[in-house]
Amino acid sequence: MEEIQSQSDNYRSSSSSASSPASRVPSSNFFYLRKPGSVRQPISFEDSPEWEDTDIDVRVEEGGDSINVAITPTSPSLSKLNSGSLPSPPLPERAVVARKIAGASVVWKDLTVTIKGKRKYSDKVVKSSSGYALPGTMTVIMGPAKSGKSTLLRAIAGRLHHSDRMYGEIFVNGAKSRMRYGTYGFVERETTLIGSLTVREYLYYSALLQLPGFFCQKKSVVEDAIHAMSLSDYANKLIGGHCYFKGLPSGERRRISIARELVMRPHVLFIDEPLYHLDSVSTLLMMVTLKKLASTGCTLIFTIYQSSTEVFGLFDRICLLSNGNTLFFGETLACLQHFSNAGFPCPIMQSPSDHFLRAINTDFDRIIAMCKNWQDDHGDFSSVNMDTAVAIHTLEATYKSSTDAAAVETMILRLTEREGPLLKSKGKAGNATRVAVLTWRSLLVMSREWKYYWLRLILYMLLTLCIGTVFSGLRHSLSSVVTRVAAIFVFVSFTSLLSIAGVPALLKEIKIYACEESNMHSGALVFLLGQLLSSIPFLFLISISSSLVFYFLVGLQDGFSFLMYFVLNFFVCLLVNEGLMLLITSLWQHVFWSVLTMVFIHVIMMLSAGYFRIRSALPGPVWTYPVSYIAFHTYSIQASLLGLLENEYLRTSFAVGQVRTISGLQALRSAYDISPDSNSKWENLLVLFLMAMGYRILVFLVLHFCVGKHVSVLKFCRDTNNPR
């Protein structure tokens, strides 16, 4: 304690430019000061309203001996906001006023989260954190990197990994329960948007995936979400742009991801880093928009790294974390007073959030060690010249013994002493509806994504044209049999290899699925059915156009039945290859490694397909079993050659010399080992179809257990004294 006291005294003497707590507090020059409300009424819990009901405006602040609802904004920051001091985005003409939302009180008590192997020194990422969030307010979880902000947010929302353990209690409206689907929204730090859709289209399809009911109701909630996030000017613009036109900026994209959760009209909204990768203007616009959203009654809880003074003034309450320890919880002004009481007053010209992070971020110790001999114009390189570990210990000890911590405990007790009504789920769309929505949305995306779909179709046509011209002009002779076999092998192998160009598009679909599945907007089976149904028209278009070009350029005999069989065989081959690409992309979730793996697999399959060396002559242990049997090239080429035999060489014989002749079957088998059974071509087609289904079953398992494994039901552990 003597070391802490000496370093605190050293800090006080070195920060002469900092104001004293008395001079720091009420000053109209600071935007972040807040005063108690003037008009108050007792709060009453309201049940979740139905879609056609009118919601109640709830603004909650703490003060006195009870929880009160504020009808008029009383903070100077809100007064400046209403008076026009801040840039507030104006509502467009004929805009619909945002509907009020009945928020919910959220309390977390003695919350501890352990993640095995997360940190070297301890598995506890969050340690005995307590706090609350009230309707109509913004509660921010602030701290340096790796302080446990996102983990605490996920723990409160019930979205921890299944291997993580949480100890403590969470109350919603005074009842110990987890929030149901539709009662809360969660926005990840990084979300994948569909760039080929407009903002209105993207939100409308999201509403179709989330909400039950009629289409007209979903259109109305989409418009409400657009107006709530100030996206009216961008509603009809493509998110990702088109051709050489740029897409929407990062600020608008971030607001779109929030608007996607607002279509459910949640009571509580969790946002992980809403200011992630935003500039100062976009940051202020985002926070003003969120403040307006909170004024409708929604409970907002989000994490933040640091903020400007103007943004800091918009917060209602702050939970300050460092290394999982709660250094403060309470109103923003009280946090300034807390730092002053601990011996770390905020300098006049410094942002409060910058000052907080400077005092508790251990990364600054390395900077001070590097620059300890440097001097600037004002003396020391930094006004905070004490060890951050000592500062953290001082702040934590000061908070535990302060009236702020006692006030938090009192407020938690009052919020949990009586139970309000449980939040009701608004229901969700059925699986059949979701499959139809995903199918139609994917078809719309395919029609607009020229780079991944239409360009692939053009490349298929060019490759088929090259193959057809190389093998064109074949006569009906013995030597042409081997050449036609080579043409079919090249056509099947090279077109399948060209399909790898679709890996980026599949990876984007998987990322969108992971984003939607994390919020229970989709599922593995729904995604696979929608992806399969939407890919069938595109693959069939490729198969019929490429097959027609190849068929007539190579000079195969006219036969409608064989032509249709050839198209069907190539279509099923593409379907198998699409399933294989989906499986590899789901496993890697990286473009480079997925493409590299697909190229390697295709080369191995081509080597064992029986063209370079017949299957019976391949080495048994590896190449025959199992490689040649799992290579779809083998069955596709066999099916094509059996159709070719039936169409061209079944009743044909070729002269060998002047005495001996061989049948068309013998000539074909000399180039490729095929079965003479007439039913073999349908058996090969059946094997291809089963492989297509088998790959998708494997994709379902990967998506269910790997891609979406971070979404799990939170296991509540009441014993806080024996963490694992």
Side-chain angles (χ1 to χ4, degrees), residues 7-181:
Q7 295 207 41
S8 299
D9 295 338
N10 186 20
Y11 168 74
R12 292 189 184 97
S13 63
S14 65
S15 56
S16 58
S17 62
S19 62
S20 64
S23 62
R24 182 72 182 168
V25 180
S27 173
S28 59
N29 295 329
F30 291 97
F31 185 68
Y32 44 80
L33 301 186
R34 189 178 301 277
K35 296 181 180 179
S38 56
V39 182
R40 297 177 177 179
Q41 295 177 355
I43 184 173
S44 61
F45 291 101
E46 293 292 338
D47 197 4
S48 171
E50 300 297 335
W51 290 104
E52 64 275 11
D53 295 339
T54 302
D55 294 330
I56 299 175
D57 185 9
V58 182
R59 289 296 311 278
V60 182
E61 295 200 9
E62 60 173 323
D65 298 328
S66 62
I67 309 170
N68 299 301
V69 56
I71 298 178
T72 58
T74 58
S75 168
S77 61
L78 293 180
S79 300
K80 290 192 176 186
L81 177 62
N82 296 331
S83 63
S85 299
L86 281 177
S88 178
L91 287 175
E93 296 182 0
R94 300 179 182 178
V96 180
V97 179
R99 297 176 63 182
K100 303 300 181 181
I101 301 174
S105 66
V106 180
V107 174
W108 60 98
K109 183 179 179 182
D110 295 330
L111 203 63
T112 299
V113 180
T114 61
I115 301 179
K116 189 175 182 180
K118 180 71 173 180
R119 293 172 178 167
K120 296 181 180 179
Y121 51 87
S122 174
D123 290 339
K124 294 183 180 180
V125 180
V126 178
K127 307 170 186 176
S128 300
S129 177
S130 298
Y132 58 90
L134 301 178
T137 62
M138 294 198 305
T139 303
V140 58
I141 304 173
M142 182 182 291
K146 298 181 181 180
S147 61
K149 303 186 300 296
S150 298
T151 303
L152 177 59
L153 187 73
R154 290 181 177 277
I156 299 172
R159 295 168 61 93
L160 288 174
H161 190 275
H162 64 85
S163 63
D164 304 339
R165 290 294 179 269
M166 190 195 76
Y167 306 87
E169 297 174 319
I170 294 179
F171 300 85
V172 181
N173 276 352
K176 187 186 298 184
S177 64
R178 54 186 296 268
M179 284 172 282
R180 301 179 180 180
Y181 173 82

Side-chain angles (χ1 to χ4, degrees), residues 52 126 224 264 315 386 616:
E52 64 275 11
V126 178
D224 290 342
M264 255 328 240
F315 302 152
M386 68 183 300
S616 59

Side-chain angles (χ1 to χ4, degrees), residues 320-331:
L320 195 62
L321 296 180
S322 181
N323 294 330
N325 300 301
T326 302
L327 306 185
F328 177 81
F329 181 87
E331 292 192 349

